[in-house]
């Protein structure tokens, strides 16, 4: 991690953590492997949705055997139509451009294939890839001005235990300029981070309200020996990079565990998913908020049971997530949860 980052976490018991880290390094040589096999590109759970900025189009993933396709739903008519005409594959992680005209999503031809980032018009016209076959690319999101797409690339797939399914590791974030109508010939992606994140759950971007003309990037990740982290990069001003590790009551004994994290209130606060332990060794994931300025003022906004995923922020002062396979909204002004 960059030496100039502002570290906003408490560090304790480093000696024990170093021992754990050394053990993980040994297991890395025993268990990790490279290649496309076992990429874990499984169809997403039912209920995942994306809402256009105007609220007039909803996209959702629908599983069909080993495939998963994106459908668009017109709230006015209730009509459901395939967004693309792919014969097979896994379409997931849809995100709208800020002007509502374009959609980016991740696409893998099969569960054991690498994923690419694709772009399509919101009405389904002209789907085309933004990234090449040599990248395993996921988590796409548009820049605040829609001129480029940020996405994450995994360079290693492996496992650190004979009983654990291989998972993606060695992540970094890239950006690529976009052309609405076709793939950009000769346009190369630009590396944004050089961190080789062990794990990466989400990325988000927002215009920097403190320094106009710059952008803030937020990632939910895991780093050894410290554990789960929320890392923020101010593009063009690396001296203002930050690392957060918010703690919530009842978090796992091994340390905090986060899901997706998103900017809210013009980047002044952060919305994130965090786990709490329950009897039997399972976890509940709930929505929390915290100040991006101080890293404090942590508030629990939901009281849900089981796994919560797919956290997004809607343009009307609400957020959206999936809990128990059901898409739900959270009113950030009243903390009211309702099925979508």
């Amino acid at each position: 991690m960059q030496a100039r980052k502002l570290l906003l976490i408490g560090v304790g018991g480093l000696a024990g953590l170093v021992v754990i880290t050394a053990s993980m390094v040994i297991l890395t040589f025993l268990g990790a492997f490279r290649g496309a096999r076992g990429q874990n590109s499984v169809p997403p759970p039912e209920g995942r949705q994306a809402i256009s900025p105007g609220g007039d189009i909803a996209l959702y993933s629908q599983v069909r055997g080993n495939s998963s396709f994106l459908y668009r739903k017109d709230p006015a008519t209730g009509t459901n139509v395939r967004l693309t005409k792919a014969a097979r594959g896994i379409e997931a992680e849809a995100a709208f451009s800020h002007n509502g005209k374009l959609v980016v999503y991740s696409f893998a031809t099969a569960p054991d294939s690498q994923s690419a980032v694709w772009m399509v018009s919101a009405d389904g016209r002209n789907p085309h890839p933004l990234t090449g076959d040599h990248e395993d690319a996921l988590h796409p999101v548009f820049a605040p001005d829609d001129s480029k797409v940020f996405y994450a690339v995994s360079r290693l797939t492996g496992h650190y235990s004979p009983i654990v399914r291989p998972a993606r590791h060695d992540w970094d974030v890239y950006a690529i300029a976009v052309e609405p109508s076709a793939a950009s010939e000769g346009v190369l992606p630009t590396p944004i981070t050089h961190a080789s994140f062990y794990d990466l759950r989400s990325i988000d971007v927002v215009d920097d309200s403190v320094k106009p003309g710059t952008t803030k990037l937020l990632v939910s990740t895991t780093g050894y020996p410290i554990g789960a982290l929320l890392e923020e990069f101010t593009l063009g001003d690396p001296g203002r990079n930050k690392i957060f590790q918010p703690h919530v009551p009842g978090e796992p004994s091994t340390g905090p565990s986060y899901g997706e994290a998103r900017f809210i209130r013009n980047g002044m606060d952060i919305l994130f998913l965090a786990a709490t332990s329950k009897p039997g060794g399972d976890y509940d994931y709930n929505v929390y908020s915290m100040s991006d300025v101080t890293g404090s003022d942590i508030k629990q906004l939901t009281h849900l049971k089981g796994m919560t995923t797919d956290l997004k922020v809607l343009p009307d002062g609400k957020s959206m997530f999936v809990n128990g396979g059901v898409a739900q909204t959270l009113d950030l002004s009243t903390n009211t949860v309702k099925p979508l």
Side-chain angles (χ1 to χ4, degrees):
M1 300 177 184
Q2 299 180 20
R4 298 182 63 190
K5 288 183 182 177
L6 175 61
L7 186 63
L8 298 176
I9 60 177
V11 180
L14 287 179
L17 289 172
V18 169
V19 173
I20 294 174
T21 305
S23 300
M24 293 304 297
V25 170
I26 294 172
L27 288 172
T28 298
F29 285 102
L30 293 176
F33 63 90
R34 295 181 181 270
R37 186 171 180 269
Q39 289 291 332
N40 199 27
S41 295
V42 296
E46 301 279 5
R48 285 179 176 247
Q49 299 197 38
I51 308 297
S52 64
D56 55 339
I57 302 176
L59 295 177
Y60 66 96
S61 297
Q62 187 167 339
V63 177
R64 291 288 183 267
N66 288 329
S67 293
S68 169
F69 302 120
L70 289 172
Y71 286 74
R72 64 181 189 272
K73 182 174 183 178
D74 183 348
T77 64
T79 303
N80 298 320
V81 182
R82 279 280 310 274
L83 183 65
T84 75
K85 298 184 183 300
R88 63 184 178 90
I90 298 170
E91 301 173 341
E93 301 186 314
F96 280 91
S97 60
H98 295 82
N99 62 16
K101 296 180 179 180
L102 300 170
V103 174
V104 284
Y105 60 99
S106 62
F107 177 72
T109 57
D112 60 352
S113 298
Q114 290 187 330
S115 181
V117 172
W118 282 59
M119 187 168 68
V120 63
S121 297
D123 59 6
R125 290 180 295 111
N126 192 33
H128 59 274
L130 292 179
T131 63
D133 296 336
H134 61 287
E135 294 180 308
D136 191 17
L138 296 98
H139 308 316
V141 61
F142 279 94
D145 63 358
D146 293 336
S147 65
K148 60 178 71 74
V149 169
F150 291 85
Y151 62 96
V153 171
S154 168
R155 291 180 291 265
L156 182 149
T157 295
H159 56 80
Y160 299 89
S161 166
I163 62 174
V164 175
R165 179 174 182 156
R168 291 173 166 99
H169 300 296
D170 195 8
W171 294 89
D172 269 302
V173 178
Y174 289 75
I176 189 167
V178 299
E179 292 290 341
S181 58
S184 302
E185 295 293 336
V187 176
L188 298 177
T190 301
I192 303 300
T193 65
H194 303 273
S196 296
F197 299 114
Y198 171 78
D199 189 18
L200 196 144
R201 303 294 183 86
S202 66
I203 63 175
D204 197 23
V205 293
V206 70
D207 279 327
D208 185 6
S209 58
V210 175
K211 187 175 181 180
T214 59
T215 300
K216 293 197 298 186
L217 169 73
L218 177 68
V219 300
S220 174
T221 183
T222 299
Y224 289 115
I226 298 172
L229 300 168
L230 304 179
E231 296 204 33
E232 180 181 306
F233 300 83
T234 301
L235 309 184
D237 191 1
R240 291 179 50 230
N241 292 350
K242 302 176 184 178
I243 303 175
F244 301 105
Q245 191 178 60
H247 294 275
V248 303
E251 69 185 18
S253 59
T254 54
S257 177
Y258 308 130
E260 293 99 334
R262 310 293 178 192
F263 286 116
I264 56 174
R265 303 185 181 97
N266 296 320
M268 298 301 292
D269 294 312
I270 293 173
L271 202 67
F272 65 99
L273 295 171
T276 54
S277 300
K278 62 181 182 180
D282 293 329
Y283 301 97
D284 296 324
Y285 273 81
N286 276 282
V287 183
Y288 296 80
S289 67
M290 62 176 283
S291 169
D292 178 73
V293 178
T294 64
S296 60
D297 195 23
I298 300 168
K299 299 175 182 177
Q300 183 173 349
L301 306 184
T302 65
H303 295 82
L304 305 165
K305 301 298 182 182
M307 191 66 184
T308 304
T309 61
D310 203 31
L311 181 66
K312 294 184 175 71
V313 176
L314 304 179
D316 58 357
K318 297 179 181 179
S319 71
M320 181 177 68
F321 54 83
V322 177
N323 176 259
V326 178
Q328 304 189 53
T329 60
L330 168 66
D331 189 320
L332 296 175
S333 63
T334 64
N335 295 344
T336 303
V337 176
K338 295 181 179 180
L340 185 64

